[in-house]
């Protein structure tokens, strides 16, 4: 039969007296905790007094009923406050952001994850997307970290089912099926049989009303005869226990209708052949008395061997412990007798879960409890998938391709199946992965290629500096499974090798320009084509091989075609004749023979005031200024001498120019600090800086870009940099 228990105190109008309820819980919580619970009650009553829920309870009444269930499960005050707020959050426009302004972060986090459990609906409707599965998996991890999430949702569903009669029949059936498929199995996995039985009976009444009423009628028709029979059997058992000096509490156990129906279906028998429709429960003080009582029952009455189960020696998967036997009375009726200790009974009714909400924190016991709880959740998840007929690909997305392990702080981490400690390290933090030098699984040193298993606790050993190995990227070596970790290692090598790739790329680029009889084409021309930001990235990509030769040649050929097609629209290249006068250009460069000509410093050699310079007339972009020893300008002088023009420095006293220096030095610490200090002392701006180590030469290479006003300033800073200890050479790039 459906049994609903409640410690709430209704007034004449059917509402709950929250003041009396608060008074009743004062012995359960500390004064400070009661004060916080009282504040939550006031918040709901004052601001949401008339808020009605779908089951016609006010928000405060709904919350108080949920809280009562959780108090019976011995949850803490934070869970009780969350229970009071949960209906308001479900059925009003109030948001978690609003609650965070009033209530603590742990309470709001508990509410957030509990609300996410509604995602079960999408799974049951077979419409779950990849994003929803990810959300579900994150919720699963949160449930492992805080079991109160599950208990709060179970309590809310139990109260909802108690009042579901006010909803339309079709909606009742839909909700009841979901409760039967998802939440009752979860309560069973936790060992909270009191909630399991109530959820099952309440759901069975709505989904199969005919079968429910048939069994209920059978139970009621024989209730008086059954009660008299049980009373006589109980009296005789008490006499036997007293004679043996065994202290015990004996009570008749109401068999739940859904469990009777399940047994009838499973055994294909009628109600009359269900042995445990009549049942007694015997609670004793210790395990020894359990077996003494069993011996007395078997000595006094015959028993049915096939119906004997010892769940004390071999507990059920959810932790349930009890001895079950079926005795045959002198009148031929069968009586199921359940024998257990008081502690076993408490655990079976309310579940062991409520007693290990991880208050103890870490430690080996806490870790083992979390592993046990994780296994229970995964088992329940599979049961739910089968019951709900969720497509195989969704079930696989939830479990089969994932592995759950623990960080040292007890946090649960979800990784792809066959992940290694190195995958775990990169999941925790990129730098931990880069610095990883070894790993421990469950306090034992293991190779980095070891495959992780469910519940492993991982500790990563790190070095001082990041130093990934290229072997980690070799799939044959088995170091990594996750693409996320591989991408991070690729990015590290790409960044480290950028400077070397840049130099190699410049060489390759200039060689290809020469092969196509081109010169003076800035690599920035191709940033859009290769989806890169600037010319340096283009050159580095060429040096790294990311831009392959066919791609580069294709880009150059396309550029040639574009330029050739545009030549007809451009003005002919002017044939300048030297004139006596010189005109100053806008950038402080004097161009012989032409006035107000657009000029720009070439990116390849970056001429500086005081350097011998020469001009190159471009197509439509004015005059490009090069140092006279620039390789590019020498090539152009051979192929396009008509575009070469004489230029000289004008008034450049108020301008700065970018100069790239390459510093080669023996490896040592603080080298970069010494160099930047000298540059700072000279009041020179640094606009770019990178460095790398040449392990073969045991040298550091520093590439640095400075804003320099003239040649004297450059010479001064070069001289000072040369004086730094271990500096081998300094040159302009």
């Amino acid at each position: 039969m459906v049994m609903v228990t409640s410690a709430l105190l209704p007034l004449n109008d059917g509402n709950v007296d929250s003041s009396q309820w608060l008074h009743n819980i004062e012995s359960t919580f500390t004064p400070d905790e009661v004060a916080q619970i009282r504040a939550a009650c006031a918040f709901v009553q004052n601001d949401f007094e008339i808020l009605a829920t779908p089951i016609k309870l006010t928000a405060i009444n709904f919350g108080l009923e949920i809280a009562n269930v959780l108090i019976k499960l011995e949850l803490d005050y934070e869970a009780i406050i969350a229970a009071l707020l949960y209906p308001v959050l479900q059925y009003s426009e109030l948001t978690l952001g609003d609650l965070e302004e009033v209530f603590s972060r742990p309470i709001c986090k508990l509410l957030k994850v509990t609300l996410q459990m509604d995602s079960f609906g999408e799974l049951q409707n077979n419409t779950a997307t990849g994003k929803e599965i990810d959300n579900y998996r994150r919720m699963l991890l949160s449930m492992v970290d805080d079991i109160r999430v599950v208990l709060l949702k179970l309590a809310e569903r139990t109260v909802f089912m108690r009042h579901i009669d006010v909803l339309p029949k079709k909606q009742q059936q839909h909700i009841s099926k979901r409760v039967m498929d998802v939440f009752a199995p979860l309560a069973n996995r936790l060992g909270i049989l009191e909630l399991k039985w109530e959820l099952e009976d309440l759901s069975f009444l709505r989904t199969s009303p005919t079968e429910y009423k048939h069994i209920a009628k059978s139970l009621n028709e024989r209730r008086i005869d059954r009660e008299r029979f049980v009373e006589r059997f109980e009296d005789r058992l008490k006499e036997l226990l007293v004679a043996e000096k065994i202290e015990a509490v004996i009570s008749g156990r109401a068999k739940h209708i859904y469990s009777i129906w399940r047994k009838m279906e499973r055994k294909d028998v009628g109600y009359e052949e269900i042995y445990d429709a009549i049942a007694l429960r015997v609670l004793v003080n210790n395990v020894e008395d359990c077996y003494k009582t069993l011996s007395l029952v078997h000595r006094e009455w015959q028993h049915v061997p096939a119906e004997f189960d010892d769940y004390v020696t071999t507990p059920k998967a959810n932790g349930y412990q009890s001895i079950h036997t079926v005795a045959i009375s002198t009148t031929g009726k069968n009586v199921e007798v359940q024998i257990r200790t008081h502690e076993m009974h408490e655990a079976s009714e309310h579940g062991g879960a409520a007693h290990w909400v991880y208050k103890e924190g870490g430690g080996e016991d806490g870790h083992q409890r979390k592993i046990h709880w994780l296994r229970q959740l995964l088992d329940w998840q599979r049961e739910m998938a089968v019951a709900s007929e969720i497509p195989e690909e969704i079930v696989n997305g939830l479990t089969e391709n994932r592995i759950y392990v623990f960080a040292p702080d007890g946090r649960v981490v979800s990784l792809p199946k066959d992940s290694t400690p190195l995958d775990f390290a990169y999941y925790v933090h990129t730098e931990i992965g880069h610095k990883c030098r070894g790993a421990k699984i469950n306090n034992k040193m293991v190779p980095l290629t070891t495959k992780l298993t469910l519940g492993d606790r991982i500790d990563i050993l790190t070095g001082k500096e990041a130093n990934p190995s290229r072997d980690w990227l070799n799939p044959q070596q088995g170091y990594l499974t996750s693409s996320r970790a591989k991408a991070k290692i690729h990015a590290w090598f790409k960044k480290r090798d950028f400077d070397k790739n840049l130099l190699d790329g410049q060489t390759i680029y200039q060689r290809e320009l020469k092969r196509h009889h081109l010169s003076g084409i800035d690599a920035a021309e191709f940033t859009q084509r290769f989806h890169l930001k600037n010319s340096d990235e283009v050159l580095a990509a060429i040096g790294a091989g990311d831009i392959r030769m066919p791609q580069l040649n294709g880009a150059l050929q396309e550029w040639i075609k574009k330029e050739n097609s545009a030549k007809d629209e451009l003005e002919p290249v002017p044939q300048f004749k030297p004139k006596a006068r010189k005109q100053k250009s806008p950038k402080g460069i004097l161009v012989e023979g032409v006035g107000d000509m657009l000029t720009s410093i070439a990116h390849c050699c970056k001429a500086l005031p005081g350097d011998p310079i020469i001009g190159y007339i471009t197509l439509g972009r004015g005059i490009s200024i090069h140092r006279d020893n620039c390789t590019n300008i020498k090539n152009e002088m051979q192929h396009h001498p008509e575009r070469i023009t004489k230029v000289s420095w004008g008034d450049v006293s108020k301008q700065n120019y970018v100069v790239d220096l390459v510093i080669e030095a023996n490896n040592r610490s603080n080298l970069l600090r010494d160099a930047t200090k000298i540059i700072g002392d000279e009041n020179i701006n640094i606009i770019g800086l990178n460095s790398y180590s040449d392990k073969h030469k045991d040298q550091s290479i520093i590439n640095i870009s400075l804003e320099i006003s003239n040649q004297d300033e450059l010479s001064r800073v070069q001289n000072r940099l040369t004086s730094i200890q271990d500096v081998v050479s300094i040159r302009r790039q």
Side-chain angles (χ1 to χ4, degrees):
M1 289 290 191
V2 176
M3 299 181 64
V4 178
T5 59
S6 177
L8 299 178
L9 301 170
L11 295 176
N12 294 331
D13 61 358
N15 290 321
V16 174
D17 184 349
S18 57
S19 299
Q20 185 61 48
W21 181 84
L22 287 165
H23 175 73
N24 290 346
I25 68 170
E26 287 179 354
S27 60
T28 306
F29 301 99
T30 67
D32 179 62
E33 291 171 347
V34 172
Q36 293 185 59
I37 295 172
R38 181 178 287 108
C41 277
F43 175 82
V44 176
Q45 285 182 303
N46 293 341
D47 294 353
F48 303 93
E49 183 178 5
I50 61 173
L51 175 64
T53 63
I55 54 176
K56 305 304 181 186
L57 289 179
T58 62
I60 185 62
N61 282 6
F62 197 174
L64 286 169
E65 284 207 36
I66 299 172
N68 254 32
V69 176
L70 297 184
I71 288 173
K72 200 169 182 180
L73 295 177
E74 301 182 22
L75 261 66
D76 61 8
Y77 79 99
E78 289 181 339
I80 304 306
I81 293 174
L84 296 170
L85 298 174
Y86 192 51
V88 172
L89 200 55
Q90 277 185 306
Y91 304 115
S92 77
E93 296 181 358
L94 190 74
T95 66
L96 279 168
D98 299 327
L99 288 179
E100 287 172 351
E101 298 177 3
V102 184
F103 298 96
S104 69
R105 185 176 180 182
I107 292 172
C108 294
K109 181 181 178 183
L110 177 55
L111 285 166
K112 177 182 178 181
V113 181
T114 307
L115 285 172
Q116 288 177 345
M117 291 190 73
D118 289 333
S119 64
F120 292 138
E122 286 100 17
L123 290 175
Q124 284 190 288
N125 293 331
N126 297 346
T127 59
T129 64
K131 182 179 180 182
E132 287 161 351
I133 289 175
D134 285 341
N135 290 337
Y136 175 84
R137 188 177 292 120
R138 283 193 289 271
M139 181 196 67
L140 176 68
L141 300 187
S142 299
M143 288 160 62
V144 177
D145 282 334
D146 195 342
I147 196 175
R148 297 175 302 174
V149 168
V150 180
L151 301 178
L152 175 53
K153 190 62 185 180
L154 286 175
E156 184 270 340
R157 288 290 86 184
T158 302
V159 175
F160 196 97
M161 290 299 297
R162 290 173 183 173
H163 301 276
I164 199 173
D165 284 338
V166 299
L167 298 180
K169 294 292 184 183
K170 191 172 182 180
Q171 191 175 357
Q172 288 184 40
Q173 291 177 351
H174 175 75
I175 294 172
S176 296
K177 185 178 186 307
R178 183 177 167 195
V179 168
M180 185 72 83
D181 289 345
V182 176
F183 295 103
L186 180 53
N188 180 53
R189 276 288 160 192
L190 289 175
I192 312 175
L193 300 187
E194 185 176 6
L195 292 187
K196 169 191 179 281
W197 289 329
E198 185 174 351
L199 289 171
E200 285 178 342
D201 275 6
L202 289 169
S203 300
F204 186 53
L205 173 60
R206 275 80 186 190
T207 56
S208 304
T210 302
E211 291 85 349
Y212 180 95
K213 290 173 183 176
H214 172 72
I215 297 173
K217 183 179 179 182
S218 298
L219 287 171
N220 285 330
E221 285 175 349
R222 304 175 186 181
R223 182 173 55 84
I224 296 175
D225 290 341
R226 185 174 66 248
E227 288 176 354
R228 288 175 180 170
F229 170 78
V230 169
E231 185 177 341
R232 290 194 298 270
F233 193 97
E234 184 178 335
D235 289 342
R236 177 55 184 157
L237 182 55
K238 284 181 180 177
E239 291 176 5
L240 297 173
L241 292 170
V242 170
E244 292 294 326
K245 297 181 180 180
I246 298 175
E247 294 182 5
V249 176
I250 305 175
S251 61
R253 180 176 68 84
K255 184 65 178 178
H256 295 274
I257 290 177
Y258 179 70
S259 61
I260 293 176
W261 178 81
R262 282 282 303 274
K263 186 164 287 190
M264 289 168 58
E265 289 290 302
R266 187 172 65 251
K267 296 189 174 185
D268 193 22
V269 297
Y271 171 78
E272 297 77 11
E273 298 180 65
I274 299 300
Y275 293 132
D276 55 355
I278 301 174
L280 287 178
R281 179 178 293 132
V282 183
L283 305 183
V284 296
N285 294 330
N286 52 59
V287 174
E288 183 181 358
D289 286 347
C290 287
Y291 289 100
K292 286 182 179 179
T293 303
L294 175 65
S295 177
L296 290 175
V297 172
H298 284 184
R299 190 171 63 196
E300 181 71 14
W301 297 284
Q302 288 184 338
H303 69 283
V304 182
E307 297 296 324
F308 173 75
D309 292 295
D310 184 357
Y311 297 120
V312 172
T313 302
T314 309
K316 288 186 177 182
N318 61 6
Y320 175 82
Q321 288 185 291
S322 184
I323 295 174
H324 294 190
T325 189
V326 174
I328 304 174
S329 70
T330 54
T331 60
K333 290 184 177 180
N334 297 312
V335 181
E336 183 188 57
V337 182
Q338 295 183 356
I339 308 166
R340 64 183 72 151
T341 66
H342 294 280
E343 291 78 9
M344 292 175 190
H345 176 65
E346 178 68 18
S348 72
E349 292 294 297
H350 302 149
H355 302 290
W356 37 274
V357 191
Y358 308 129
K359 293 178 181 177
E360 299 88 346
E364 193 62 30
D365 290 342
H367 178 63
Q368 291 303 320
R369 283 194 298 271
K370 271 198 173 184
I371 294 175
H372 176 69
W373 171 215
L374 176 58
R375 291 183 188 278
Q376 285 183 308
L377 274 182
L378 293 175
D379 287 341
W380 156 74
Q381 180 177 266
R382 296 184 185 100
E383 290 174 2
M384 183 201 74
V386 173
S388 302
E389 298 181 353
I390 296 174
E392 183 179 354
E393 61 269 21
I394 294 181
V395 178
N396 290 341
L398 297 175
T399 56
E400 297 302 324
N401 63 344
R402 307 298 295 181
I403 190 73
Y404 298 94
V405 297
F406 291 92
D409 60 1
R411 180 165 53 96
V412 183
V413 174
S414 170
L415 295 170
K417 189 179 180 182
D418 294 329
S419 288
T420 65
L422 200 54
D423 286 302
F424 172 85
Y426 275 101
Y427 178 92
V428 173
H429 196 281
T430 302
E431 284 303 307
I432 292 178
H434 289 340
K435 296 179 180 179
C436 179
R437 296 295 176 269
K440 291 182 179 180
I441 297 180
N442 303 325
N443 295 322
K444 293 181 180 179
M445 288 295 298
V446 296
L448 291 178
T449 53
T450 304
K451 302 298 182 186
L452 303 180
T453 59
L454 175 69
D456 281 342
R457 181 166 54 190
I458 319 300
D459 291 275
I460 299 298
L461 310 178
T462 59
K464 292 183 179 180
E465 296 183 0
N467 190 25
S469 169
R470 290 193 184 274
D471 288 341
W472 294 354
L473 295 171
N474 186 342
Q476 304 302 322
Q477 299 283 352
Y479 281 100
L480 291 170
T481 295
S482 77
S483 55
R484 173 180 176 178
K486 294 174 184 176
K488 289 181 176 180
I489 295 174
H490 275 297
W492 187 87
F493 280 113
K494 193 171 183 179
K495 182 178 180 181
R496 190 199 68 170
D497 296 340
F498 183 85
D499 298 318
K500 179 180 180 299
N501 292 336
L502 179 61
L503 294 174
D504 292 343
Q506 286 174 332
T507 302
I508 296 170
Y509 182 69
Q510 294 301 327
R511 183 189 69 205
E512 292 303 305
L513 286 181
K514 185 176 181 180
R515 196 166 66 83
H516 286 82
H517 306 293
L518 298 172
S519 62
I521 302 175
D522 196 320
E525 294 281 349
F526 306 108
T527 53
Q528 188 173 358
R529 179 185 179 94
F530 295 116
H531 307 290
L532 298 170
K533 295 179 181 178
N534 52 50
S535 60
D536 282 355
E537 287 194 4
V538 174
L539 295 172
I542 294 170
D546 295 334
I547 298 177
R548 303 182 184 278
M549 285 301 99
Q551 293 174 293
L552 177 59
N553 289 327
L556 291 172
Q557 289 170 6
E558 186 177 316
W559 187 90
I560 292 171
K561 290 179 182 179
K562 184 178 177 181
E563 287 296 310
N564 288 339
S565 63
K567 276 184 179 180
D568 295 337
E569 301 175 9
L570 294 174
E571 295 181 3
V573 176
Q575 300 297 319
F576 296 119
K577 295 181 179 180
K579 294 183 180 180
R581 69 183 185 89
K582 295 181 181 180
Q583 176 66 36
K584 180 183 175 183
S585 77
K587 292 198 174 184
I589 304 294
L590 298 177
V591 181
E592 291 190 358
V594 67
D596 293 333
M597 191 69 180
L598 175 66
T599 63
S600 62
I601 302 297
H603 181 74
C604 55
C605 55
K606 296 182 180 178
L608 184 67
D611 287 335
I613 56 177
I614 195 165
Y616 175 78
I617 302 171
T618 66
L619 295 177
R621 290 183 285 113
I623 296 178
S624 176
I625 308 301
H626 295 256
R627 286 154 51 189
D628 66 359
N629 62 351
C630 173
T631 304
N632 287 341
I633 204 65
K634 288 180 179 179
N635 291 335
E636 292 302 324
M637 291 174 72
Q638 293 178 6
H639 295 96
H640 301 286
E642 72 279 4
R643 294 190 180 186
I644 306 301
T645 184
K646 292 183 179 180
V647 293
S648 60
W649 297 104
D651 182 10
V652 293
S653 58
K654 296 182 180 179
Q655 295 190 39
N656 288 324
Y657 297 83
V658 177
V659 175
D660 295 332
L661 296 181
V662 179
I663 303 173
E664 296 183 0
N666 297 324
N667 268 328
R668 70 171 174 85
S669 59
N670 298 324
L671 178 65
L672 198 57
R673 183 199 64 185
D674 294 344
T676 54
K677 183 177 184 304
I678 285 177
I679 295 169
D681 291 344
E682 292 290 333
N683 293 319
I684 294 174
N685 288 333
I686 300 174
I687 61 174
L689 175 66
N690 56 64
S691 65
Y692 64 92
S693 295
D694 186 334
K695 293 185 177 179
H696 297 293
K697 296 181 180 180
D698 194 26
Q699 284 188 337
S700 293
I701 311 298
I702 302 173
N703 293 287
I704 190 164
S705 297
L706 308 176
E707 280 191 343
I708 299 291
S709 59
N710 54 55
Q711 191 64 248
D712 291 340
E713 189 173 51
L714 176 62
S715 298
R716 186 168 64 252
V717 74
Q718 280 184 299
N719 289 335
R720 291 200 60 187
L721 290 172
T722 305
S723 66
I724 297 175
Q725 180 184 351
D726 290 318
V727 169
V728 176
S729 68
I730 298 177
R731 58 183 171 83
R732 287 177 68 180
Q733 193 172 44

